[in-house]
Every structure is written in C-alpha cells, then in structure tokens.
Amino acid sequence: MSISRLTPIFDEFKLPSFKPNIKDSFMTTYNFFAGPAILPSKVIRQSSEALLNFENMGLSIMEISHRSPQFMSVMKEAQSHVKELLALDDDYSVLFLTGGASTQFYMSALNYLPERGNASYIDTGAWSSKAIKEAAAIGKVQVIASSKDQNYSYIPVDYAIPSDTQYVHFTSNNTIYGTQFHQLPPTEAPLICDMSSDIFSKPINMMPYGMIYAGAQKNMGPAGVTLVVLNKNKFQKAERHIPTMLDYDTHIAKGSMFNTPPVLPIYVSMLTMRWIIAQGGLEAMEVRNSKKAQLLYDAIDNSRLFNAIVNKKDRSQMNVCFGIEDTALESSFLKACTSQRCIGIKGHRSVGGFRASIYNAMKMEGVEKLVDILSKFDREHGG
Ligand code: PMP
C-alpha cells in the first residue's frame, strides 16, 4: 500500500512517521466497553488501510463517491453478507440507515402502527422504555409485560398478548442490565426486535420477525450506521403522512441509497461481517460466545466476593453484569482491572457494580485475563 500521499502531511505537522502496525501497540488492551465496542483487530487494520488508499484508487474511503462502482460493490457485499448470515429470503429488505437504533423506536411505529391499530411492547429496560415512549406518541401502545419492579433484572414470562396486536416489540438483549431473551414472545403477530447488542452473536430464525434493527456499534461495526432488516409484507402500513426520510419504502425503493449513506461505517461493518463468515458464521460465534460467557459467569458464581445480579436463566451472553458484596472494594477492583489493561468494566450508573461486555470480537484470552484478575482479587480480599 502506498502511503506517499500522506508524507507531506507528516512533514508539515512534524508528526512521527506513519506506522502501519500502530494497532499492534494496543493489542494487549482488552476492551470491555458496552458500546462503541471492540472490533476484530483484522477489521481495524483493513479499515486503516482503506482510510489511506482504498482499492488502490489513491483516495481515502472517506472521500470517495457513494455512487462510485467501488462503493456500490461494498454496499452490495454488505447486504449480501446480512442475507447470508440471517438466511433471508427475497421478502426481506436490508437497509443501512442513519439516526441510530433510537430513530427506529419512532420510525417503526410511524410506519407500522396504524391509526386504528394497537401494538404490544415488552418493557425490559431503558431502551425498551424509550421505544415505548416514542411509539406511544404515535398510536395505541400496550405494555404487555415489564420487569421494572425488580430493576429489570429478569425477562418477564406468562403474559397475555392481545390477538389483534399489529406487532410485538421487544429488546432481545438488555445492554445495561445484562439480561437476554432466550425464548421468543409467544405470538403469531410479527415481531419487531431491537437487536442492537446481540445481533450476529448467534443464529437467528428470521421467520417470526417482521423487522429487526440494530445500531452497529457493538457487534457489527463503528457508530454511525443502523442495520434494519424488514419484511414489509408482514405489516399493515399506516396511512398517515410519513416524512420521506422516515418512510421505509423510500429506502427500500432505492436500495438503501436514497441519500448519502454512511460510507465508512458501512465499509467497516461489511469487513466485520466478512470476518464473522470467515470464522465460521453465526454458529461459530454462538459457540465462542457461550464458552466466554460460561467461563466468566462460573468465575463469578464460584467467588466469595462477587455475584451475578440477574436472574440466572435470563443471563446475557453479551453483557455480563455483576456486583461485589462489599461495595467499598468496587474502586480497587476497577483499578486492578484497568492497571492490567482490562478497560470498560464499570457498570452502568442505573445498575452500579460491574459490566463486562464480551461481544463477538472479544477473544477468549481477554475473558481469561479478566477471570484471572477477578479470581486473584477474590482470593486476596474474600478470605
Ligand atoms: N438499543 C439498545 C439495546 C442499546 O444498547 C442502545 C445503545 N447503543 C440503543 C438501543 C441506542 O442505540 P443508538 O445509540 O444507536 O441510538
């Protein structure tokens, strides 16, 4: 790869010369942040090359036209990877939109909650509550189940779903609280699911879903793009006026290229999906993710000091939330983690304690490192 284009910049600003292997110096930092989150180092390396010279165009990926054949082929490949990973038939459209998962809270209801219909929502935390608030501003929303009574530490069961509901909305993995749905809501109605923090972490049977959406910045890529997969035939379209950019049909009709798409985040997401497929696809991700989660939960369960704070059967494979009995020890455990380059372990302020996010790109060795720190801390302070 030629870097001559950059040489004048380095000279002008008296920057140290470019080191293509700069990521290597960060390799030993284990990133447990909840999002934006860890990406595979191979993807970071490939992205950094594309930032300098994309496809030998002598241009950065950041400055190429989204209508160039080179980007069109990135978009095509990204869409085909989603189709392959989720085994989608032609009824499903794959869109890469902007506005984050948060825009989908509103947009999904705006399109598919008709004036005279009603929709069912399951409230399993802050993100579902936000989805409920946005949809309730548009139409009739029924909260059919909630785990708010116990600070969202479990996934509700045994709730009734109205037979006339237009759809059932839920959040498959609750990033803040560390709970995850391991069974789908029992309904014939199409499901709409916020999969922001567990997309591509395990195989998904898309049949029951009318739509899924996910902000990229956990398992798929950097912040700035949101994946939307939808089968519009499963919904009754609302008849209200929908602004052009908030109408799914606009984006479906133009193959997700109605306006300038986020070129760089789509490229990095495409590379991440390529990486997932090369690792063996979603089956392989699931095996890896279960092993990592098992190792960490076992260490927590076997310790004297630490405790996993959510209902055992609802534990997340992605965000492992745990606490420490003696909260005075919290800051010294965090210090022990950061001093050994395990970063991002502090729990969300609404839960407290700790949270280790172990998305697809987190290697087993990262979890082993955290388990070592945790077990040593337990031996030293738990006696
Ligand atoms: N849903 C879930 C489950 C999340 O974890 C988050 C946070 N990334 C969001 C929605 C909000 O996503 P965004 O910041 O992309 O709007």
Side-chain angles (χ1 to χ4, degrees):
M1 177 191 59
S2 156
I3 54 164
S4 56
R5 238 179 131 237
L6 287 171
T7 312
I9 302 174
F10 287 107
D11 289 349
E12 189 181 335
F13 294 103
K14 302 213 171 355
L15 293 170
S17 60
F18 173 68
K19 296 191 189 77
N21 63 345
I22 196 155
K23 174 70 183 153
D24 291 346
S25 55
F26 300 111
M27 291 291 199
T28 48
T29 299
Y30 297 106
N31 180 0
F32 290 94
F33 274 104
I38 185 169
L39 286 170
S41 38
K42 182 170 183 192
V43 168
I44 299 205
R45 194 184 307 275
Q46 290 171 325
S47 307
S48 66
E49 284 167 11
L51 282 178
L52 298 179
N53 179 10
F54 179 60
E55 296 275 314
N56 264 332
M57 294 170 82
L59 296 174
S60 166
I61 177 100
M62 292 189 293
E63 55 186 354
I64 64 165
S65 165
H66 62 293
R67 305 274 174 212
S68 62
Q70 287 86 349
F71 181 71
M72 298 291 268
S73 112
V74 169
M75 177 61 104
K76 215 170 137 213
E77 185 176 342
Q79 287 172 325
S80 86
H81 288 334
V82 175
K83 287 188 174 162
E84 179 183 339
L85 287 167
L86 302 180
L88 299 176
D89 63 33
D90 290 342
D91 290 337
Y92 286 86
S93 306
V94 177
L95 307 175
F96 293 101
L97 305 181
T98 49
S102 301
T103 298
Q104 295 310 311
F105 300 158
Y106 188 73
M107 199 166 154
S108 49
L110 192 66
N111 281 259
Y112 299 131
L113 177 48
E115 286 77 354
R116 274 186 287 278
N118 65 81
S120 304
Y121 280 69
I122 303 176
D123 172 26
T124 51
W127 299 114
S128 349
S129 303
K130 286 183 179 160
I132 292 165
K133 178 172 168 249
E134 296 298 306
I138 292 167
K140 194 167 169 229
V141 161
Q142 303 191 41
V143 180
I144 53 169
S146 171
S147 50
K148 194 173 179 183
D149 58 342
Q150 289 177 39
N151 200 26
Y152 298 117
S153 58
Y154 69 99
I155 298 292
V157 283
D158 296 335
Y159 44 87
I161 301 180
S163 55
D164 65 344
T165 193
Q166 299 291 321
Y167 60 81
V168 177
H169 179 285
F170 71 109
T171 312
S172 52
N173 184 73
N174 298 285
T175 328
I176 295 176
Y177 312 88
T179 60
Q180 189 171 23
F181 278 78
H182 298 298
Q183 256 159 12
L184 294 184
T187 179
E188 298 292 306
L191 298 173
I192 296 187
C193 184
D194 174 359
M195 291 192 184
S196 293
S197 50
D198 64 356
I199 185 88
F200 301 147
S201 64
K202 57 180 181 186
I204 307 166
N205 167 19
M206 283 293 292
M207 281 299 286
Y209 295 95
M211 172 180 161
I212 63 170
Y213 59 92
Q217 63 272 19
K218 287 118 177 31
N219 257 342
M220 197 180 92
V225 66
T226 307
L227 172 68
V228 173
V229 176
L230 81 99
N231 178 351
K232 66 180 205 165
N233 305 328
K234 291 204 177 201
F235 297 105
Q236 187 188 331
K237 183 87 186 265
E239 277 168 17
R240 64 177 63 86
H241 168 73
I242 300 179
T244 310
M245 277 296 286
L246 297 183
D247 190 336
Y248 290 120
D249 289 338
T250 304
H251 300 286
I252 293 170
K254 296 288 179 188
S256 207
M257 296 278 275
F258 171 74
N259 71 320
T260 316
V263 169
L264 178 62
I266 292 173
Y267 177 66
V268 182
S269 301
M270 183 278 283
L271 291 177
T272 309
M273 289 186 273
R274 224 191 239 174
W275 175 86
I276 293 173
I277 291 166
Q279 301 292 307
L282 299 187
E283 286 79 9
M285 289 298 116
E286 183 177 40
V287 171
R288 273 168 61 125
N289 289 330
S290 324
K291 279 191 191 149
K292 288 183 296 180
Q294 179 87 46
L295 183 69
L296 188 47
Y297 282 119
D298 281 352
I300 294 164
D301 289 343
N302 294 330
S303 75
R304 279 162 294 187
L305 280 178
F306 298 95
N307 57 297
I309 46 196
V310 306
N311 202 22
K312 195 161 185 175
K313 70 174 184 40
D314 302 324
R315 286 174 172 179
S316 167
Q317 303 266 316
M318 296 280 100
N319 311 98
V320 177
C321 291
F322 56 105
I324 190 161
E325 238 156 73
D326 180 358
T327 48
L329 288 171
E330 248 174 43
S331 62
S332 48
F333 179 64
L334 284 175
K335 244 188 234 151
C337 292
T338 37
S339 68
Q340 293 173 73
R341 303 186 76 132
C342 285
I343 61 163
I345 307 284
K346 195 170 166 43
H348 189 272
R349 62 193 172 281
S350 60
V351 178
F354 314 106
R355 170 178 55 177
S357 298
I358 48 175
Y359 299 118
N360 286 347
M362 173 56 70
K363 292 181 183 157
M364 190 59 155
E365 76 183 44
V367 178
E368 284 166 356
K369 176 85 187 165
L370 180 60
V371 163
D372 277 354
I373 299 169
L374 189 147
S375 307
K376 186 161 174 264
F377 194 89
D378 188 56
R379 280 195 302 277
E380 281 171 7
H381 298 87

